[in-house]
Amino acid sequence: MDPHLLRTFVAVARCGSFSEAARELGYTQSAVSQHIAALENDLGTLLLQRRPVSPTVAGVRLLEHAGPLLLRLDAARADITRLIAAPAARITLGVSPLAMTSRLTVPLAGIRRTQPLLEVAVRVLGREAVTRELATGTLDLGLIDGMAAPNDPLHLPDIGPLTTMAVTEGPLAVALPAQHPLADRANLDLADLADARWIDAPDTAVPLAQLRTASGTNGYRPSLRYEGTDIRGLLALAAAGHGLALLPTQAIDGIPGLSPVPVCAPRLVHRTEVLHSDTSDGPLAVLATALTAATR
């Protein structure tokens, strides 16, 4: 399967238009049509309905495979580029919102003191963006958080060889409005809240899809979707009663109008990890080790 054809298919499916995909990819519309026809001929089935443009059942299934396949190809190219590149003059660190901490200042100051000519940039991104941009070489190092069973690593997409270093594990709590009838509970079983109203905030709180998987239920339906990396905005919505959110306890403590109630079942923790692709003893590895030590 030609990856160029696959990229064209993904672009058309996402744009819902052959002409829009052509503009995005820098092709002519005729070339895009030829790419799709060639891919459909290769697979022996129709992948896109033409009017309106939308994926067929086979097209939907191919899209499920296309994202990881193309990401892995991009990761391979970025990995080889890093291997043969000259020593970095700049390091870009991607941090998911709940992995961001004031303790980052210590290792960042240390690396800048020992490497005064090294430029360091910090970008706060959603979790998926951190792993994706690390894979494609836009980021050099990632600090990412998520939900896991105690002592288990985070479940990450297959983006090629990565060095993963555990940083912290801490308790999770449900952010309940102070007036919520369960706000004074000592702890909660998540299953008791499966039918409650939730805020779907995949870049900040624990994604609701993960709650469904962990609890083995189809509950946890969103009343509101929150897109972005501003934790304060999410907490303000939860305090106002727009829905519940599962977050590390320390993120909720001291927030007016909210009561953090710890989760007792299932057994889950909030985990933070450092990710990078460079296994050498260069600045990346030094910074990764320093981040691990400083944030414990």
Side-chain angles (χ1 to χ4, degrees), residues 96-117:
S96 59
L98 288 172
M100 190 69 182
T101 169
S102 60
R103 297 182 190 178
L104 288 176
T105 59
V106 175
L108 289 177
I111 197 74
R112 296 193 66 186
R113 184 172 56 253
T114 58
Q115 308 268 346
L117 299 181

Side-chain angles (χ1 to χ4, degrees), residues 127-128 147 173-175 190 193-226 234 242-247 266 268:
R127 298 180 183 102
E128 289 187 6
M147 181 183 75
V174 180
L190 273 180
L193 296 170
D195 295 328
R197 298 195 310 163
W198 288 81
I199 300 174
D200 188 15
D203 288 331
T204 45
V206 174
L208 298 188
Q210 291 188 18
L211 295 188
R212 297 184 196 109
T213 300
S215 300
T217 176
N218 289 325
Y220 310 103
R221 294 302 171 187
S223 63
L224 180 71
R225 182 173 175 86
Y226 182 77
L234 170 62
H242 290 286
L244 309 183
L246 185 62
L247 296 156
L268 300 168

Side-chain angles (χ1 to χ4, degrees), residues 20-288:
E20 186 64 31
R23 282 192 291 271
E24 179 181 296
L25 297 169
Y27 297 154
T28 64
Q29 184 170 338
S30 175
V32 168
S33 297
Q34 290 173 17
H35 283 190
I36 298 302
L39 184 60
E40 290 178 331
N41 184 63
D42 180 24
L43 295 176
T45 187
L46 187 71
L47 298 172
L48 290 168
Q49 301 289 353
R50 272 31 177 201
R51 295 182 181 175
V53 176
S54 62
T56 62
V57 173
V60 170
R61 182 60 57 85
L62 181 59
L63 284 171
E64 294 174 359
H65 292 283
L69 285 171
L70 294 175
L71 181 59
R72 190 60 192 267
L73 286 171
D74 290 339
R77 179 180 294 277
D79 206 25
I80 297 302
T81 299
R82 281 189 291 258
L83 186 65
I84 63 176
R90 174 186 173 95
I91 289 178
T92 303
L93 169 64
V95 186
S96 59
L98 288 172
M100 190 69 182
T101 169
S102 60
R103 297 182 190 178
L104 288 176
T105 59
V106 175
L108 289 177
I111 197 74
R112 296 193 66 186
R113 184 172 56 253
T114 58
Q115 308 268 346
L117 299 181
L118 183 69
E119 295 183 23
V120 180
V122 177
R123 298 176 60 200
V124 180
L125 302 166
R127 298 180 183 102
E128 289 187 6
V130 171
T131 54
R132 182 178 64 251
E133 296 197 22
L134 183 63
T136 56
T138 306
L139 297 176
D140 301 300
L141 189 146
L143 188 60
I144 192 170
D145 76 288
M147 181 183 75
N151 300 314
D152 278 1
L154 295 177
H155 179 69
L156 300 172
D158 180 13
I159 57 174
L162 280 179
T163 299
T164 304
M165 304 168 69
V167 177
T168 60
E169 281 190 3
L172 285 163
V174 180
L176 292 173
Q179 68 275 15
H180 194 282
L182 300 179
D184 59 351
R185 291 276 293 271
N187 52 55
L188 285 168
D189 185 330
L190 273 180
D192 294 337
L193 296 170
D195 295 328
R197 298 195 310 163
W198 288 81
I199 300 174
D200 188 15
D203 288 331
T204 45
V206 174
L208 298 188
Q210 291 188 18
L211 295 188
R212 297 184 196 109
T213 300
S215 300
T217 176
N218 289 325
Y220 310 103
R221 294 302 171 187
S223 63
L224 180 71
R225 182 173 175 86
Y226 182 77
E227 298 181 356
T229 58
D230 184 358
I231 300 171
R232 293 172 301 177
L234 170 62
L235 294 173
L237 290 169
H242 290 286
L244 309 183
L246 185 62
L247 296 156
T249 304
Q250 63 179 10
I252 313 169
D253 280 335
I255 301 299
L258 282 178
S259 177
V261 181
V263 172
C264 61
R267 293 187 64 230
L268 300 168
V269 295
H270 177 256
R271 182 178 172 93
T272 306
E273 295 178 353
V274 172
L275 316 173
H276 67 102
S277 298
D278 188 346
T279 55
S280 70
D281 293 328
L284 279 178
V286 172
L287 180 56

